[in-house]
Amino acid sequence: MKEELLRIENGLLPVKNKKIILDLEISRGECVGIFPDSISDSDMILNFFRGTMDLKTGKTFICEEQADSMSIHREISNRVAVLERKTNYSSELTVGDYLFSLKGNLGIRDRREMKKRFKSQEALEMKELLCGEIDWKDRIRDLSPIDYGRVFLFQSWLYDVDILVFSFLTEYLRPDDIERFMEYSELLLQRGKAVYIQDQSYEFLFRYAGRIDILKKGLICYRLSADEYEKEKLYTAASGVWKGAVPVTAGKGRIILEMDHIKFHDQEEEPFFLKVRSGEIAVIRDNDYKTASRLVNTLAGKQRWKEGEIRINGEKATPGILKNYLGKKIGIQTSVTSRKESTLFKNLTGLENLSLVLAPKAGKRLVRKKLEQNILQESSRWFSEEQMLKKTGEWSQKDYLILSYLKWYMLNPGILICFFPFNGLEYYLYDQVMEMMLMCLGKGMGILLLTGEASGISSRCNNKEFLNRLRIV
């Protein structure tokens, strides 16, 4: 029987306006996965593991002994390490500084023991296994995400941490890097550590976790062990729809975008073929952004291709023409949660944002006042005039999201490229994205959807019309 490291029974997190109940069991050598239906709920759980949030009620057992409320915070801080996504560290901070200076909860005696351990033969062997060519003098901010994760694993071993928490690795590590990172993690699992992973990728959890907990509305509603894994059961537990059970029909509209025998200069793969029709959503799965970046840069006129033809509405296009089409015949919808890729200007009002893009299309036919009246009338289904006169930086994420798609609906470019549109969004916003896409399709557009998890779209959607419009390329 495995040694139990942490068990929480009916632990209530003190979150306003909702309940999040923690029921956890983590033992040595075990990898436990949790599928949260809300990113905000997963953040609250991370706050507990970070040691910044205590339980309001419930029982906590550390190594099978019940811990009192005064010692839980200390025990969690000492026994748990959370892998945070790399942030903008100071340019002077080296890997060595990270290892020794950013662990502030150690006493003088513990720190002395840690430095003694660092000079041991075992540490040299672990450094070679986990960090290899990484130099302690390298700057943290220059490390790749996978190398940053490797340093984290070594630090966790060095400080003798029992439980390693990984959150949403699939959002910032490439598939090959995820596989490598989990292989490194296995080295620590073999040495008695435990891993707790949060993610919304079924495939990732299915592959690496020995048990998967399904968190819905703040409660663990389903628990699957490895010997019970069935894909259909996993999707059902998360209230999804298994892709294979959904009838998918290709669009029957006119061809808006056609890429015939396209080959890029840096491409070793087979030539690329693509057709996007009016009224359909053509889905391309891309795990490392490579294909997506190529397509977006090409259709934006920033990248030339080596072979083949691109046709828009049946007419042959060149890079120069495609550049002129951007925002007119070709729209690119990027993740609205990313400031760098934001589709709207947050220092402008909603009305100003839409006027800015629609004025060139309206030309001299409409004076500005008339144009603004038309925009306010068209947007009144979602927004009051008062809100449209507020800067979009003050809007909620949902309203900002709606406005970003409303822009394309009113502009009607013909082909709309949605670049990883679900990344970073709460689950409750998925349906809103799908609804806005359907609205654009109703205007006669075709949609090219680039995503890292094509099967995940249908698994998270109960909108039959949306599913029937999908065509996996």
Side-chain angles (χ1 to χ4, degrees), residues 123-133 150 154 184:
L124 291 175
E125 294 172 359
M126 287 302 297
K127 193 268 183 184
E128 184 63 29
L129 287 171
L130 294 174
C131 296
E133 72 289 352
R150 292 161 64 194
F154 179 81
Y184 290 126

Side-chain angles (χ1 to χ4, degrees), residues 19-35:
K19 284 186 177 181
I20 300 177
I21 305 295
L22 283 183
D23 284 294
L24 299 176
E25 296 177 20
I26 305 176
S27 300
R28 289 195 184 280
E30 186 177 38
C31 181
V32 177
I34 182 168
F35 182 99

Side-chain angles (χ1 to χ4, degrees), residues 6 29 35 63 115 166 199 208 217 221 227 244 273 277 316 385 416 440:
L6 175 66
F35 182 99
C63 294
K115 289 189 175 182
F166 309 148
D199 215 282
Y208 293 106
K217 297 181 179 179
C221 67
D227 58 354
F273 295 85
R277 298 176 180 270
K316 184 178 177 180
E385 181 175 341
L416 178 60
C440 292

Side-chain angles (χ1 to χ4, degrees), residues 43-62:
D43 283 341
M44 294 303 104
I45 296 174
L46 286 182
N47 284 338
F48 170 76
F49 283 122
R50 292 179 183 117
T52 60
M53 179 176 286
D54 296 321
L55 297 177
K56 191 173 182 180
T57 60
K59 297 180 180 179
T60 301
F61 296 84
I62 307 291

Side-chain angles (χ1 to χ4, degrees), residues 173-328:
L173 286 183
R174 297 176 301 180
D176 290 347
D177 286 342
I178 288 176
E179 186 172 351
R180 289 172 57 209
F181 181 76
M182 294 307 293
E183 287 175 358
Y184 290 126
S185 303
E186 179 65 28
L187 295 174
L188 297 187
L189 285 171
Q190 293 171 1
R191 288 162 172 76
K193 308 303 181 184
V195 171
Y196 181 77
I197 52 178
Q198 292 184 342
D199 215 282
Q200 289 179 330
S201 167
Y202 299 110
E203 289 83 357
F204 174 58
L205 294 175
F206 191 87
R207 180 173 181 180
Y208 293 106
R211 188 183 77 243
I212 298 176
D213 293 343
I214 308 296
L215 181 70
K216 280 194 64 185
K217 297 181 179 179
L219 294 171
I220 300 296
C221 67
Y222 213 102
R223 179 163 285 170
L224 291 172
S225 59
D227 58 354
E228 295 176 315
Y229 280 172
E230 295 175 14
K231 287 187 177 180
E232 289 80 2
K233 185 181 290 186
L234 180 58
Y235 281 100
T236 301
S239 296
V241 179
W242 177 237
K243 176 177 173 290
V246 179
V248 178
T249 58
K252 298 179 180 179
R254 61 185 175 85
I255 298 175
I256 297 176
L257 168 65
E258 188 172 8
M259 303 184 76
D260 185 10
H261 204 277
I262 294 296
K263 194 160 187 177
F264 301 97
H265 290 281
D266 61 343
Q267 179 180 340
E268 297 179 359
E269 310 95 286
E270 291 297 313
F272 193 79
F273 295 85
L274 173 68
K275 289 182 181 179
V276 181
R277 298 176 180 270
S278 170
E280 79 167 4
I281 305 172
V283 183
I284 294 179
R285 178 171 181 169
D286 181 20
N287 288 318
D288 60 7
Y289 289 81
K290 188 175 181 180
T291 300
S293 296
R294 280 176 177 169
L295 289 175
V296 169
N297 288 334
T298 297
L299 294 174
K302 298 178 181 179
Q303 178 175 324
R304 293 180 176 272
W305 54 96
K306 187 177 179 181
E307 299 176 13
E309 285 189 2
I310 295 178
R311 292 182 283 273
I312 305 292
N313 293 326
E315 297 182 3
K316 184 178 177 180
T318 63
I321 292 176
L322 287 173
K323 186 176 182 180
N324 294 332
Y325 284 170
L326 190 61
K328 299 173 184 177

